[in-house]
Amino acid sequence: MQSAQHSTHFFKLSLLCLSLSLSACQKDEKKQIDQTQNKIELIQQDLVAIQQGSAISKTSFTGTIRAVQQSSIQAQVTATATNVNAEVGQRVSKGQVLVHLNNQDNAARLAQAEANLTSTQAQANQARLMMERKNRLLNQGFISKVEYEQSRVDYQAQMENVRAQQANVDIARKANQDGTIYSPISGVITKRDVEPGQTVAAGTTLFEIVNPDQLEIQAKLPSDMQAALKVGQRIEYTIQGNPDQLTAAVSRISPIADQASRQIEFFAQPNETITSLSIGSFVEGFLLGSQNIQGQQIPLDTIQSLKEKPYVWVIRQNRIAKVPVQILNQSYSNNTAIVQGLQNTDLISRIKFNDDEIKQEVSISQN
């Protein structure tokens, strides 16, 4: 009886072990199926191997396009505009009349000063004749030397009055001439703040002129990067709104850094022709160094968030990874970039993934 019970118990235990074994096998098979199903399949054309490359060292900067020759023209006297001969967008030549300002007070002062000068010159001429007459009388012994010296002193005093009146005439003539405004440079009118019949005060800006034929880059660089600045140094840059890659050369450098911003101002001469519409536009560029830098060469279009925090999607040990990179050089013309931060065994993915796919396993097909 006990032997039969023992056999039954053994049989039940065997069935339980067999059931557990079958259940474990089913779970392993399901896990393997799930893992296979969760793998992301890629083909060889989706991946790019990393190559070693080199590029010229670059120092980034920002700046603007400005005209080398520009002028702000102000009224020198308070007067009324009678004729305005220039419009915004009009090209003018150096010395061309831009506006006539009418000030009758200045004209009257000039006439008065000229009349006073004429009167003073007449008195000085009379004093000269008197001095010459007394000089002859002195030589003939008819007057004393003291009397002659007195006439000479009177003549010198009259000549001083003539010089003073001449200065008054020059001042009055300058004030009267300031009523005619001439262009100080050849260029294009970019701003006009005067109309016929308008009364303008001295110091009021009437016109602004720039010469669009001579443009340059005005930029700044932190003083701790001053070693990258040299006259004649090559520059690559782009203008806001223009995707073309342009070049320039540093033409001059400020000898001191700005006390407030601790930045050094420099200017560069563009090699290509730039239209006047670019004046005031924002510029981004690089100062090209003389030394080559070594790094990892990858396609430029595989870099994500290029302007902020660049990164690339890579396959590392058959799993997806999101790797930040430091861009040392980039070239849009041949779609290449020299970077740092990758492992040489990484495969760069042309496929964009999501953050929830990081560390997910991939399979790479040869077809």
Side-chain angles (χ1 to χ4, degrees):
M1 184 70 179
Q2 291 179 353
S3 176
Q5 290 178 348
H6 179 73
S7 298
T8 302
H9 179 73
F10 179 77
F11 179 73
K12 290 180 179 179
L13 185 60
S14 298
L15 288 175
L16 178 61
C17 291
L18 179 61
S19 177
L20 291 174
S21 298
L22 291 173
S23 177
C25 290
Q26 289 176 351
K27 288 182 179 180
D28 290 341
E29 291 177 357
K30 183 178 180 181
K31 184 176 180 181
Q32 290 176 356
I33 294 173
D34 290 342
Q35 288 178 346
T36 302
Q37 291 176 345
N38 288 335
K39 280 186 178 181
I40 295 178
E41 293 186 0
L42 298 176
I43 61 176
Q44 260 337 75
Q45 288 80 358
D46 295 331
L47 304 174
V48 179
I50 294 175
Q51 299 179 354
Q52 296 301 312
S54 62
I56 298 175
S57 60
K58 295 183 177 181
T59 304
S60 63
F61 71 89
T62 58
T64 56
I65 299 294
R66 67 182 293 272
V68 176
Q69 288 184 318
Q70 51 188 325
S71 179
S72 180
I73 302 171
Q74 284 121 7
Q76 301 299 314
V77 294
T78 299
T80 301
T82 54
N83 295 314
V84 182
N85 304 321
E87 301 284 350
V88 172
Q90 178 182 340
R91 183 174 283 271
V92 295
S93 302
K94 182 178 180 180
Q96 181 176 330
V97 176
L98 301 180
V99 62
H100 288 286
L101 301 176
N102 182 25
N103 189 322
Q104 296 180 350
D105 291 342
N106 288 334
R109 291 190 187 97
L110 176 59
Q112 182 180 6
E114 288 176 340
N116 291 338
L117 175 61
T118 301
S119 174
T120 304
Q121 287 174 335
Q123 293 175 6
N125 188 51
Q126 184 65 30
R128 180 180 60 80
L129 294 175
M130 182 60 70
M131 181 188 67
E132 292 174 352
R133 180 172 178 273
K134 288 190 175 183
N135 186 39
R136 290 193 298 270
L137 293 174
L138 175 64
N139 293 333
Q140 295 173 2
F142 291 109
I143 62 173
S144 65
K145 187 175 182 180
V146 173
E147 191 174 354
Y148 163 74
E149 290 293 335
Q150 182 61 47
S151 66
R152 190 172 66 84
V153 171
D154 291 342
Y155 171 67
Q156 291 176 344
Q158 290 298 329
M159 289 303 299
E160 292 298 327
N161 287 336
V162 169
R163 282 190 281 270
Q165 291 301 325
Q166 182 63 59
N168 290 335
V169 168
D170 293 340
I171 294 172
R173 182 176 290 117
K174 173 66 167 58
N176 191 53
Q177 290 175 346
D178 285 340
T180 302
I181 307 294
Y182 302 90
S183 175
I185 62 173
S186 295
V188 176
I189 303 292
T190 60
K191 186 177 181 181
R192 166 180 153 173
D193 285 332
V194 59
E195 298 296 334
Q198 177 182 346
T199 299
V200 296
T204 302
T205 298
L206 306 181
F207 297 96
E208 288 186 2
I209 304 176
V210 299
N211 183 358
D213 299 329
Q214 298 181 24
L215 304 183
E216 66 181 357
I217 299 171
Q218 180 183 21
K220 292 183 178 181
L221 200 67
S223 58
D224 58 353
M225 303 176 71
Q226 58 182 293
L229 271 177
K230 294 179 182 178
V231 173
Q233 190 167 1
R234 292 183 300 149
I235 285 177
E236 290 180 352
Y237 71 99
T238 56
I239 303 175
Q240 184 181 22
N242 183 357
D244 295 338
Q245 188 84 18
L246 305 175
T247 60
V250 176
S251 55
R252 60 188 194 278
I253 304 170
S254 173
I256 60 174
D258 183 85
Q259 296 297 319
S261 64
R262 301 296 180 184
Q263 291 187 321
I264 300 175
E265 189 174 42
F266 67 93
F267 301 86
Q269 185 67 42
N271 294 326
E272 296 84 6
T273 301
I274 302 175
T275 65
S276 60
L277 296 178
S278 298
I279 296 176
S281 296
F282 183 71
V283 167
E284 286 184 313
F286 298 94
L287 293 160
L288 304 182
S290 57
Q291 297 180 346
N292 285 345
I293 51 176
Q294 302 296 324
Q296 298 157 324
Q297 181 174 308
I298 63 174
L300 181 61
D301 58 8
T302 61
I303 302 177
Q304 312 300 319
S305 188
L306 191 64
K307 297 293 185 181
E308 298 176 0
K309 296 180 179 179
Y311 66 92
V312 292
W313 292 104
V314 305
I315 305 304
R316 180 177 291 176
Q317 298 178 352
N318 288 332
R319 294 186 180 275
I320 298 172
K322 181 180 180 181
V323 182
V325 293
Q326 179 185 358
I327 301 176
L328 304 180
N329 179 65
Q330 59 188 29
S331 174
Y332 289 94
S333 60
N334 55 14
N335 188 37
T336 59
I338 305 299
V339 301
Q340 287 181 347
L342 298 172
Q343 297 180 8
N344 292 333
T345 56
D346 288 341
L347 294 175
I348 307 300
S349 173
R350 296 186 182 276
I351 306 298
K352 298 180 183 179
F353 300 103
N354 299 319
D355 288 348
D356 56 1
E357 294 175 312
I358 295 176
K359 294 185 178 180
Q360 191 164 342
E361 193 172 358
V362 302
S363 63
I364 303 173
S365 171
Q366 299 297 322
N367 295 326

